[in-house]
Amino acid sequence: MNKVVVGAQWGDEGKAKITDLLAQDADLIIRYQGGCNAGHTVVANNKTFKFHLIPSGILYKGKTCFIGAGTVILPEYFDEEAGGLIKEGIDLSGLKINPLASITMPYHTEIDGFSESKAKKGKIGTTQKGIGPTYTDKYARIGLKVEDLYDEETLSEKLDIILPIKNKTLKEVYGLKTYTKDEVLNLCKKYAEIFRPYVCFDWQKVLEDAKEARKNILFEGAQGVMLDVDYGTYPFVTSSNPIGGGACTGSGFGPKMIDEVIGVAKAYVTRVGEGPFVTELNDETGEKIREIGHEYGVTTGRPRRCGWFDAVTMRYAVLTGGLTSVAITKIDVFDKFKEIKLCTAYKDIRDGRIYKNYPTNVFMHKYLEPVYETHEGWCEDISGIREYEKLPQNARKYIKRLEQLLGVPVSIISVGPDREQTIFVNPQ
Ligand code: GDP
Ligand code: IMO
Ligand code: MG
Protein backbone atom coordinates (compact mmCIF):
# COMPACT_ATOMS: atom_id res chain seq x y z
CA MET A 1 0.00 0.00 0.00
CA ASN A 2 1.33 3.40 -0.99
CA LYS A 3 0.26 6.27 1.24
CA VAL A 4 0.59 10.02 1.25
CA VAL A 5 0.68 12.02 4.47
CA VAL A 6 -0.76 15.49 3.89
CA GLY A 7 -1.19 18.36 6.34
CA ALA A 8 -4.89 19.22 6.25
CA GLN A 9 -4.77 22.63 7.95
CA TRP A 10 -2.07 25.36 8.08
CA GLY A 11 0.85 23.09 8.92
CA ASP A 12 2.15 21.68 12.24
CA GLU A 13 -0.73 19.21 12.44
CA GLY A 14 1.54 16.44 13.74
CA LYS A 15 2.39 15.06 10.28
CA ALA A 16 5.83 13.88 11.35
CA LYS A 17 4.39 11.75 14.13
CA ILE A 18 2.02 10.10 11.66
CA THR A 19 4.74 9.74 9.00
CA ASP A 20 7.02 8.13 11.55
CA LEU A 21 4.27 5.68 12.53
CA LEU A 22 3.45 4.74 8.94
CA ALA A 23 7.13 4.58 7.99
CA GLN A 24 7.41 1.36 10.00
CA ASP A 25 5.68 -0.46 7.13
CA ALA A 26 7.23 1.52 4.27
CA ASP A 27 10.32 0.63 2.23
CA LEU A 28 10.71 3.96 0.50
CA ILE A 29 9.82 7.34 2.03
CA ILE A 30 9.80 10.43 -0.17
CA ARG A 31 9.51 14.01 1.03
CA TYR A 32 7.88 15.68 -1.95
CA GLN A 33 7.83 19.47 -1.48
CA GLY A 34 8.86 22.40 0.66
CA GLY A 35 12.19 22.89 2.32
CA CYS A 36 13.53 23.73 5.73
CA ASN A 37 10.54 25.97 6.38
CA ALA A 38 9.10 22.74 7.79
CA GLY A 39 9.63 21.75 11.41
CA HIS A 40 8.70 18.14 12.07
CA THR A 41 8.77 16.56 15.52
CA VAL A 42 9.00 12.86 16.27
CA VAL A 43 9.01 11.56 19.83
CA ALA A 44 10.25 7.99 20.06
CA ASN A 45 12.17 5.94 22.62
CA ASN A 46 12.09 8.85 25.09
CA LYS A 47 13.85 11.11 22.61
CA THR A 48 12.60 14.08 20.63
CA PHE A 49 13.84 14.44 17.06
CA LYS A 50 13.28 17.57 15.00
CA PHE A 51 13.43 17.35 11.23
CA HIS A 52 13.26 20.07 8.63
CA LEU A 53 14.03 18.42 5.31
CA ILE A 54 15.17 14.90 6.03
CA PRO A 55 12.23 12.45 5.97
CA SER A 56 11.30 11.33 9.46
CA GLY A 57 11.44 7.70 8.26
CA ILE A 58 15.21 7.95 8.64
CA LEU A 59 14.84 6.82 12.26
CA TYR A 60 14.23 3.26 11.04
CA LYS A 61 17.17 1.26 9.71
CA GLY A 62 17.10 -0.16 6.20
CA LYS A 63 14.63 2.32 4.68
CA THR A 64 15.35 4.43 1.65
CA CYS A 65 14.52 8.06 2.37
CA PHE A 66 14.38 10.45 -0.56
CA ILE A 67 14.43 14.21 -0.59
CA GLY A 68 12.33 14.56 -3.73
CA ALA A 69 12.64 16.63 -6.88
CA GLY A 70 9.87 18.97 -5.71
CA THR A 71 11.82 20.18 -2.68
CA VAL A 72 14.12 23.16 -2.21
CA ILE A 73 17.30 22.70 -0.21
CA LEU A 74 19.19 25.28 1.80
CA PRO A 75 22.61 23.57 1.80
CA GLU A 76 24.00 24.87 5.11
CA TYR A 77 20.75 24.06 6.93
CA PHE A 78 20.67 20.58 5.42
CA ASP A 79 24.31 20.07 6.46
CA GLU A 80 23.47 21.06 10.01
CA GLU A 81 20.43 18.79 10.13
CA ALA A 82 22.34 15.79 8.73
CA GLY A 83 25.27 16.46 11.08
CA GLY A 84 22.93 16.67 14.07
CA LEU A 85 21.34 13.32 13.24
CA ILE A 86 24.73 11.64 12.73
CA LYS A 87 25.77 12.95 16.18
CA GLU A 88 22.63 11.35 17.61
CA GLY A 89 23.82 8.05 16.15
CA ILE A 90 21.23 7.96 13.33
CA ASP A 91 22.40 6.02 10.28
CA LEU A 92 22.00 8.18 7.18
CA SER A 93 23.11 5.54 4.67
CA GLY A 94 19.52 5.28 3.36
CA LEU A 95 19.24 9.03 2.71
CA LYS A 96 19.13 10.09 -0.93
CA ILE A 97 18.67 13.43 -2.65
CA ASN A 98 17.03 13.62 -6.03
CA PRO A 99 19.44 15.63 -8.22
CA LEU A 100 16.46 17.56 -9.59
CA ALA A 101 15.81 19.22 -6.22
CA SER A 102 16.31 23.00 -6.26
CA ILE A 103 19.01 24.83 -4.32
CA THR A 104 18.37 27.83 -2.11
CA MET A 105 21.20 30.29 -2.69
CA PRO A 106 22.17 33.03 -0.19
CA TYR A 107 20.46 35.62 -2.38
CA HIS A 108 17.18 33.75 -1.96
CA THR A 109 17.27 34.01 1.83
CA GLU A 110 18.42 37.62 1.53
CA ILE A 111 15.47 38.49 -0.71
CA ASP A 112 13.08 36.65 1.63
CA GLY A 113 14.43 38.55 4.64
CA PHE A 114 14.34 41.87 2.80
CA SER A 115 10.79 41.40 1.50
CA GLU A 116 9.49 40.47 4.91
CA SER A 117 11.28 43.24 6.80
CA LYS A 118 10.29 45.98 4.36
CA ALA A 119 6.73 44.88 3.83
CA LYS A 120 4.40 47.06 5.83
CA LYS A 121 1.27 45.85 4.13
CA GLY A 122 1.04 42.39 2.66
CA LYS A 123 3.59 40.75 4.95
CA ILE A 124 3.34 36.95 4.75
CA GLY A 125 5.22 36.10 7.93
CA THR A 126 7.48 33.60 6.16
CA THR A 127 10.03 31.42 7.90
CA GLN A 128 12.70 33.49 6.09
CA LYS A 129 14.37 30.39 4.72
CA GLY A 130 14.30 31.64 1.12
CA ILE A 131 11.46 29.33 0.11
CA GLY A 132 9.44 31.77 -2.02
CA PRO A 133 12.43 33.26 -3.89
CA THR A 134 13.85 29.77 -4.60
CA TYR A 135 10.57 28.52 -6.08
CA THR A 136 10.20 31.83 -7.95
CA ASP A 137 13.53 31.19 -9.71
CA LYS A 138 12.60 27.56 -10.34
CA TYR A 139 9.42 28.60 -12.15
CA ALA A 140 11.20 31.49 -13.89
CA ARG A 141 13.63 28.82 -15.12
CA ILE A 142 16.67 30.53 -13.64
CA GLY A 143 17.11 28.27 -10.62
CA LEU A 144 19.98 25.93 -9.77
CA LYS A 145 19.36 22.25 -9.25
CA VAL A 146 21.51 19.84 -7.27
CA GLU A 147 22.67 18.12 -10.46
CA ASP A 148 24.12 21.41 -11.75
CA LEU A 149 26.79 21.27 -9.07
CA TYR A 150 28.53 18.25 -10.58
CA ASP A 151 29.28 19.49 -14.12
CA GLU A 152 31.58 22.52 -13.99
CA GLU A 153 31.28 23.34 -17.67
CA THR A 154 27.50 23.45 -17.86
CA LEU A 155 27.29 25.15 -14.45
CA SER A 156 29.52 27.92 -15.76
CA GLU A 157 27.32 28.31 -18.87
CA LYS A 158 24.20 28.35 -16.75
CA LEU A 159 25.58 31.00 -14.41
CA ASP A 160 26.36 33.23 -17.38
CA ILE A 161 22.63 33.28 -18.06
CA ILE A 162 21.35 33.38 -14.48
CA LEU A 163 23.73 35.79 -12.77
CA PRO A 164 23.20 38.92 -14.87
CA ILE A 165 19.43 38.60 -14.32
CA LYS A 166 19.82 37.91 -10.60
CA ASN A 167 22.31 40.71 -10.04
CA LYS A 168 20.15 43.22 -11.85
CA THR A 169 17.17 42.26 -9.67
CA LEU A 170 19.22 42.17 -6.47
CA LYS A 171 20.65 45.62 -7.11
CA GLU A 172 17.83 47.49 -8.78
CA VAL A 173 14.75 45.98 -7.17
CA TYR A 174 16.00 45.15 -3.69
CA GLY A 175 19.15 47.27 -3.31
CA LEU A 176 20.95 44.16 -2.10
CA LYS A 177 24.50 42.89 -2.59
CA THR A 178 25.32 41.39 -5.99
CA TYR A 179 27.36 38.20 -6.58
CA THR A 180 30.41 37.61 -8.79
CA LYS A 181 30.60 34.43 -10.80
CA ASP A 182 33.62 33.31 -8.74
CA GLU A 183 31.70 33.78 -5.51
CA VAL A 184 28.84 31.64 -6.77
CA LEU A 185 31.20 29.01 -8.19
CA ASN A 186 32.92 28.76 -4.80
CA LEU A 187 29.58 28.38 -3.06
CA CYS A 188 28.63 25.68 -5.56
CA LYS A 189 31.86 23.78 -4.87
CA LYS A 190 31.05 23.83 -1.15
CA TYR A 191 27.48 22.69 -1.78
CA ALA A 192 28.64 19.87 -4.06
CA GLU A 193 30.64 18.47 -1.15
CA ILE A 194 27.76 18.84 1.31
CA PHE A 195 25.40 16.89 -0.97
CA ARG A 196 27.91 14.41 -2.43
CA PRO A 197 27.29 11.53 0.02
CA TYR A 198 23.57 11.66 -0.66
CA VAL A 199 22.93 12.63 -4.29
CA CYS A 200 21.31 9.73 -6.12
CA PHE A 201 21.98 10.08 -9.83
CA ASP A 202 20.48 6.61 -10.19
CA TRP A 203 17.10 7.75 -8.83
CA GLN A 204 15.15 6.56 -11.89
CA LYS A 205 16.35 3.01 -11.30
CA VAL A 206 15.59 3.19 -7.58
CA LEU A 207 12.02 4.33 -8.35
CA GLU A 208 11.59 1.80 -11.17
CA ASP A 209 12.81 -1.04 -8.95
CA ALA A 210 10.50 0.02 -6.13
CA LYS A 211 7.57 0.09 -8.54
CA GLU A 212 8.45 -3.28 -10.04
CA ALA A 213 8.93 -4.96 -6.68
CA ARG A 214 5.70 -3.37 -5.39
CA LYS A 215 7.54 -1.88 -2.46
CA ASN A 216 5.56 0.12 0.07
CA ILE A 217 6.01 3.79 -0.62
CA LEU A 218 5.22 6.59 1.80
CA PHE A 219 4.98 10.13 0.47
CA GLU A 220 5.70 12.73 3.13
CA GLY A 221 4.16 16.17 2.76
CA ALA A 222 5.22 19.32 4.55
CA GLN A 223 3.09 22.36 5.44
CA GLY A 224 -0.62 21.85 4.77
CA VAL A 225 -3.43 22.20 2.25
CA MET A 226 -4.37 25.68 3.47
CA LEU A 227 -0.79 26.81 2.76
CA ASP A 228 -0.84 25.32 -0.75
CA VAL A 229 0.17 27.88 -3.38
CA ASP A 230 -2.83 27.01 -5.58
CA TYR A 231 -5.54 26.12 -3.07
CA GLY A 232 -4.47 27.78 0.19
CA THR A 233 -5.24 31.21 1.60
CA TYR A 234 -3.31 32.92 -1.21
CA PRO A 235 -1.16 35.03 -0.95
CA PHE A 236 -0.69 33.95 2.69
CA VAL A 237 0.70 30.58 1.67
CA THR A 238 3.96 28.84 1.02
CA SER A 239 5.26 28.49 -2.54
CA SER A 240 4.75 24.77 -3.17
CA ASN A 241 1.97 22.16 -3.37
CA PRO A 242 1.48 20.27 -0.09
CA ILE A 243 -1.80 18.75 -1.43
CA GLY A 244 -1.93 15.04 -2.28
CA GLY A 245 -1.38 15.89 -5.94
CA GLY A 246 1.98 17.40 -5.03
CA ALA A 247 3.16 13.91 -4.09
CA CYS A 248 3.28 13.04 -7.80
CA THR A 249 4.98 16.13 -9.15
CA GLY A 250 7.43 16.16 -6.26
CA SER A 251 8.39 12.51 -6.20
CA GLY A 252 8.55 11.25 -9.80
CA PHE A 253 5.77 8.68 -9.28
CA GLY A 254 2.43 8.96 -11.09
CA PRO A 255 -1.06 9.16 -9.57
CA LYS A 256 -1.76 5.46 -10.04
CA MET A 257 0.99 4.75 -7.53
CA ILE A 258 -1.08 6.22 -4.71
CA ASP A 259 -3.55 4.08 -2.74
CA GLU A 260 -4.37 6.28 0.22
CA VAL A 261 -4.06 9.92 1.19
CA ILE A 262 -4.11 10.51 4.93
CA GLY A 263 -4.83 14.08 5.95
CA VAL A 264 -3.48 15.04 9.35
CA ALA A 265 -5.47 17.56 11.38
CA LYS A 266 -5.37 18.74 14.95
CA ALA A 267 -8.56 18.56 16.99
CA TYR A 268 -8.30 22.35 16.85
CA VAL A 269 -6.51 24.68 14.44
CA THR A 270 -3.21 26.56 14.58
CA ARG A 271 -1.53 28.91 12.18
CA VAL A 272 1.88 30.65 12.18
CA GLY A 273 2.46 33.85 10.25
CA GLU A 274 -0.05 36.19 8.67
CA GLY A 275 -3.31 35.42 6.89
CA PRO A 276 -6.99 34.83 7.56
CA PHE A 277 -8.11 32.42 10.25
CA VAL A 278 -11.85 32.56 10.82
CA THR A 279 -11.95 30.45 14.00
CA GLU A 280 -8.96 32.15 15.64
CA LEU A 281 -9.36 32.75 19.38
CA ASN A 282 -7.73 35.92 20.66
CA ASP A 283 -8.81 35.21 24.20
CA GLU A 284 -8.16 33.03 27.25
CA THR A 285 -9.38 29.91 25.45
CA GLY A 286 -6.86 30.46 22.64
CA GLU A 287 -4.17 31.01 25.26
CA LYS A 288 -5.21 27.81 27.07
CA ILE A 289 -4.93 25.78 23.84
CA ARG A 290 -1.50 27.32 23.12
CA GLU A 291 -0.16 26.52 26.60
CA ILE A 292 -1.57 22.97 26.90
CA GLY A 293 -0.71 22.16 23.28
CA HIS A 294 2.77 23.80 23.48
CA GLU A 295 1.93 25.69 20.33
CA TYR A 296 5.23 27.34 19.49
CA GLY A 297 6.94 26.91 16.10
CA VAL A 298 9.64 24.23 15.68
CA THR A 299 11.53 26.22 13.04
CA THR A 300 11.08 29.80 14.24
CA GLY A 301 9.90 29.50 17.86
CA ARG A 302 7.00 31.86 17.07
CA PRO A 303 3.81 31.42 19.15
CA ARG A 304 1.18 29.74 16.98
CA ARG A 305 -2.23 31.35 16.58
CA CYS A 306 -4.89 28.98 17.95
CA GLY A 307 -8.61 28.43 17.32
CA TRP A 308 -11.44 25.92 17.22
CA PHE A 309 -11.65 23.14 14.63
CA ASP A 310 -12.88 24.49 11.33
CA ALA A 311 -14.92 21.95 9.36
CA VAL A 312 -15.35 24.43 6.47
CA THR A 313 -11.63 24.57 5.61
CA MET A 314 -11.28 20.91 6.49
CA ARG A 315 -13.97 19.79 4.02
CA TYR A 316 -12.16 21.91 1.46
CA ALA A 317 -8.92 20.13 2.40
CA VAL A 318 -10.63 16.73 1.95
CA LEU A 319 -11.57 17.76 -1.58
CA THR A 320 -8.46 19.58 -2.79
CA GLY A 321 -5.99 17.51 -0.79
CA GLY A 322 -7.54 14.33 -2.16
CA LEU A 323 -7.88 12.90 1.35
CA THR A 324 -9.18 9.35 1.74
CA SER A 325 -9.04 9.39 5.55
CA VAL A 326 -8.04 11.66 8.39
CA ALA A 327 -5.67 11.35 11.34
CA ILE A 328 -6.83 13.52 14.25
CA THR A 329 -3.99 14.61 16.51
CA LYS A 330 -3.70 16.40 19.85
CA ILE A 331 -7.21 15.52 20.95
CA ASP A 332 -5.70 15.02 24.43
CA VAL A 333 -5.20 18.80 24.59
CA PHE A 334 -8.96 19.01 25.24
CA ASP A 335 -8.80 16.71 28.29
CA LYS A 336 -9.49 19.62 30.65
CA PHE A 337 -12.08 21.41 28.50
CA LYS A 338 -15.69 21.35 29.69
CA GLU A 339 -16.89 22.52 26.27
CA ILE A 340 -15.45 22.15 22.79
CA LYS A 341 -16.62 24.18 19.83
CA LEU A 342 -16.70 23.10 16.23
CA CYS A 343 -17.19 25.47 13.29
CA THR A 344 -19.61 24.06 10.74
CA ALA A 345 -20.19 27.12 8.54
CA TYR A 346 -19.24 30.77 8.08
CA LYS A 347 -21.63 33.72 8.26
CA ASP A 348 -21.04 36.94 6.31
CA ILE A 349 -21.74 39.74 8.80
CA ARG A 350 -22.67 42.09 5.94
CA ASP A 351 -25.70 40.21 4.67
CA GLY A 352 -26.07 37.13 6.85
CA ARG A 353 -25.12 34.80 3.99
CA ILE A 354 -24.09 31.35 5.20
CA TYR A 355 -21.12 29.60 3.64
CA LYS A 356 -20.85 25.84 4.01
CA ASN A 357 -18.25 25.63 1.26
CA TYR A 358 -14.98 27.47 1.68
CA PRO A 359 -14.99 30.97 0.14
CA THR A 360 -11.61 31.24 -1.58
CA ASN A 361 -11.33 35.04 -1.75
CA VAL A 362 -9.49 35.52 1.51
CA PHE A 363 -9.73 39.29 1.44
CA MET A 364 -13.41 39.05 2.38
CA HIS A 365 -12.71 36.74 5.32
CA LYS A 366 -12.65 39.72 7.65
CA TYR A 367 -16.41 39.84 7.17
CA LEU A 368 -16.88 36.21 8.16
CA GLU A 369 -17.71 34.85 11.56
CA PRO A 370 -17.79 31.18 12.50
CA VAL A 371 -21.04 29.34 13.09
CA TYR A 372 -20.36 26.99 15.98
CA GLU A 373 -21.91 23.94 17.52
CA THR A 374 -20.88 23.11 21.06
CA HIS A 375 -19.83 19.69 22.28
CA GLU A 376 -19.49 18.50 25.85
CA GLY A 377 -15.93 17.69 26.89
CA TRP A 378 -14.83 14.43 28.55
CA CYS A 379 -12.78 15.92 31.40
CA GLU A 380 -10.45 12.96 31.86
CA ASP A 381 -6.93 12.05 30.84
CA ILE A 382 -7.07 10.10 27.58
CA SER A 383 -3.32 10.10 26.84
CA GLY A 384 -2.94 6.51 28.06
CA ILE A 385 -5.79 5.08 25.97
CA ARG A 386 -4.84 2.84 23.02
CA GLU A 387 -8.21 1.46 21.88
CA TYR A 388 -11.03 3.39 20.28
CA GLU A 389 -13.73 1.71 22.36
CA LYS A 390 -11.99 2.81 25.58
CA LEU A 391 -12.19 6.50 24.70
CA PRO A 392 -14.79 8.42 26.76
CA GLN A 393 -18.17 8.58 25.07
CA ASN A 394 -17.95 12.35 24.48
CA ALA A 395 -14.59 11.98 22.72
CA ARG A 396 -16.06 9.30 20.44
CA LYS A 397 -19.08 11.53 19.79
CA TYR A 398 -16.77 14.37 18.77
CA ILE A 399 -14.83 12.08 16.39
CA LYS A 400 -18.05 10.70 14.89
CA ARG A 401 -19.30 14.23 14.29
CA LEU A 402 -16.05 15.12 12.53
CA GLU A 403 -16.42 12.09 10.27
CA GLN A 404 -19.98 13.10 9.48
CA LEU A 405 -18.97 16.66 8.61
CA LEU A 406 -15.93 15.68 6.57
CA GLY A 407 -17.34 12.72 4.68
CA VAL A 408 -14.22 10.57 5.19
CA PRO A 409 -13.31 8.21 8.03
CA VAL A 410 -10.98 9.06 10.90
CA SER A 411 -8.36 6.31 10.61
CA ILE A 412 -5.91 7.38 13.33
CA ILE A 413 -6.38 9.24 16.62
CA SER A 414 -3.31 10.63 18.34
CA VAL A 415 -3.54 11.17 22.09
CA GLY A 416 0.00 12.35 22.81
CA PRO A 417 3.30 13.17 21.10
CA ASP A 418 4.87 9.76 21.61
CA ARG A 419 4.88 7.14 18.86
CA GLU A 420 3.01 4.83 21.25
CA GLN A 421 0.24 7.31 22.07
CA THR A 422 -1.83 6.35 19.07
CA ILE A 423 -5.17 4.70 18.38
CA PHE A 424 -5.67 3.01 15.01
CA VAL A 425 -9.39 3.02 14.26
CA ASN A 426 -10.59 -0.23 12.66
CA PRO A 427 -7.08 -1.56 12.00
CA GLN A 428 -6.93 -4.17 9.19
P1 GDP B 1 4.28 18.74 11.85
O1 GDP B 1 5.00 19.93 11.30
O2 GDP B 1 2.95 18.56 11.23
O3 GDP B 1 5.09 17.48 11.78
O4 GDP B 1 4.01 19.06 13.38
P2 GDP B 1 5.01 19.80 14.43
O5 GDP B 1 6.08 18.86 14.82
O6 GDP B 1 5.40 21.13 13.92
O7 GDP B 1 4.01 20.11 15.62
C1 GDP B 1 3.27 19.12 16.25
C2 GDP B 1 3.60 19.11 17.74
O8 GDP B 1 2.62 18.38 18.41
C3 GDP B 1 4.91 18.42 18.06
O9 GDP B 1 5.48 19.03 19.19
C4 GDP B 1 4.48 16.98 18.37
O10 GDP B 1 5.39 16.30 19.23
C5 GDP B 1 3.17 17.25 19.08
N1 GDP B 1 2.16 16.19 18.93
C6 GDP B 1 1.89 15.41 17.86
N2 GDP B 1 0.81 14.64 18.08
C7 GDP B 1 0.37 14.96 19.33
C8 GDP B 1 -0.73 14.53 20.13
O11 GDP B 1 -1.56 13.72 19.72
N3 GDP B 1 -0.86 15.10 21.36
C9 GDP B 1 0.01 16.04 21.84
N4 GDP B 1 -0.20 16.54 23.04
N5 GDP B 1 1.06 16.46 21.12
C10 GDP B 1 1.23 15.94 19.87
P1 IMO C 1 5.36 22.13 8.68
O1 IMO C 1 5.83 21.18 7.62
C1 IMO C 1 3.43 25.90 9.67
C2 IMO C 1 4.06 29.20 6.88
C3 IMO C 1 4.86 30.40 7.38
C4 IMO C 1 4.21 31.50 6.56
C5 IMO C 1 3.92 30.83 5.22
C6 IMO C 1 4.99 31.08 4.16
O2 IMO C 1 6.17 22.10 9.93
O3 IMO C 1 3.90 21.97 8.92
P2 IMO C 1 7.47 30.18 3.80
O4 IMO C 1 8.69 30.28 4.68
O5 IMO C 1 7.08 28.78 3.46
O6 IMO C 1 7.57 31.05 2.58
O7 IMO C 1 6.28 30.82 4.69
O8 IMO C 1 3.86 29.44 5.49
N1 IMO C 1 4.75 27.90 7.01
C7 IMO C 1 4.43 26.99 7.92
N2 IMO C 1 3.53 27.02 8.93
N3 IMO C 1 4.14 24.77 9.43
C8 IMO C 1 5.02 24.71 8.41
O9 IMO C 1 5.65 23.57 8.06
C9 IMO C 1 5.22 25.86 7.62
N4 IMO C 1 6.02 26.14 6.57
C10 IMO C 1 5.71 27.41 6.19
O10 IMO C 1 4.69 30.59 8.76
O11 IMO C 1 2.97 31.85 7.13
MG1 MG D 1 5.81 21.76 11.91
Side-chain angles (χ1 to χ4, degrees), residues 9-58:
Q9 296 163 326
W10 277 285
D12 302 328
E13 300 89 346
K15 296 175 294 293
K17 167 173 171 169
I18 303 300
T19 306
D20 167 74
L21 274 173
L22 300 177
Q24 294 179 68
D25 299 322
D27 305 297
L28 183 62
I29 299 118
I30 310 185
R31 167 77 185 271
Y32 59 84
Q33 45 67 235
C36 57
N37 47 349
H40 294 167
T41 319
V42 174
V43 183
N45 308 325
N46 298 320
K47 265 192 173 170
T48 300
F49 298 90
K50 295 196 187 292
F51 299 97
H52 298 282
L53 196 65
I54 296 175
S56 24
I58 202 73

Side-chain angles (χ1 to χ4, degrees), residues 355-375:
Y355 289 91
K356 290 217 160 180
N357 283 330
Y358 177 71
T360 52
N361 176 1
V362 301
F363 292 98
M364 59 76 84
H365 283 206
K366 58 177 181 270
Y367 300 117
L368 298 176
E369 63 180 27
V371 177
Y372 285 125
E373 58 183 36
T374 304
H375 290 252

Side-chain angles (χ1 to χ4, degrees), residues 5-7 10-19 37-43 48-51 56 220-223 264 266 268 270 292-299 304 328-333 383 413-418 421-422:
V5 175
V6 170
W10 277 285
D12 302 328
E13 300 89 346
K15 296 175 294 293
K17 167 173 171 169
I18 303 300
T19 306
N37 47 349
H40 294 167
T41 319
V42 174
V43 183
T48 300
F49 298 90
K50 295 196 187 292
F51 299 97
S56 24
E220 177 178 15
Q223 289 82 51
V264 186
K266 283 175 185 162
Y268 49 92
T270 64
I292 300 178
H294 305 293
E295 295 298 352
Y296 295 89
V298 178
T299 301
R304 295 173 179 153
I328 296 291
T329 61
K330 304 194 93 161
I331 189 162
D332 54 294
V333 170
S383 63
I413 300 166
S414 174
V415 292
D418 199 277
Q421 291 177 296
T422 311

Side-chain angles (χ1 to χ4, degrees), residues 112-157:
D112 199 2
F114 177 88
S115 307
E116 286 289 299
S117 65
K118 292 288 173 211
K120 290 194 181 73
K121 268 189 172 177
K123 189 175 165 184
I124 309 288
T126 74
T127 58
Q128 306 213 6
K129 297 292 185 293
I131 303 295
T134 312
Y135 278 113
T136 302
D137 278 4
K138 168 177 159 170
Y139 289 107
R141 294 160 292 187
I142 53 167
L144 287 173
K145 292 189 171 262
V146 171
E147 65 180 4
D148 294 327
L149 304 174
Y150 301 96
D151 187 323
E152 273 182 36
E153 217 173 303
T154 55
L155 175 63
S156 168
E157 286 163 14

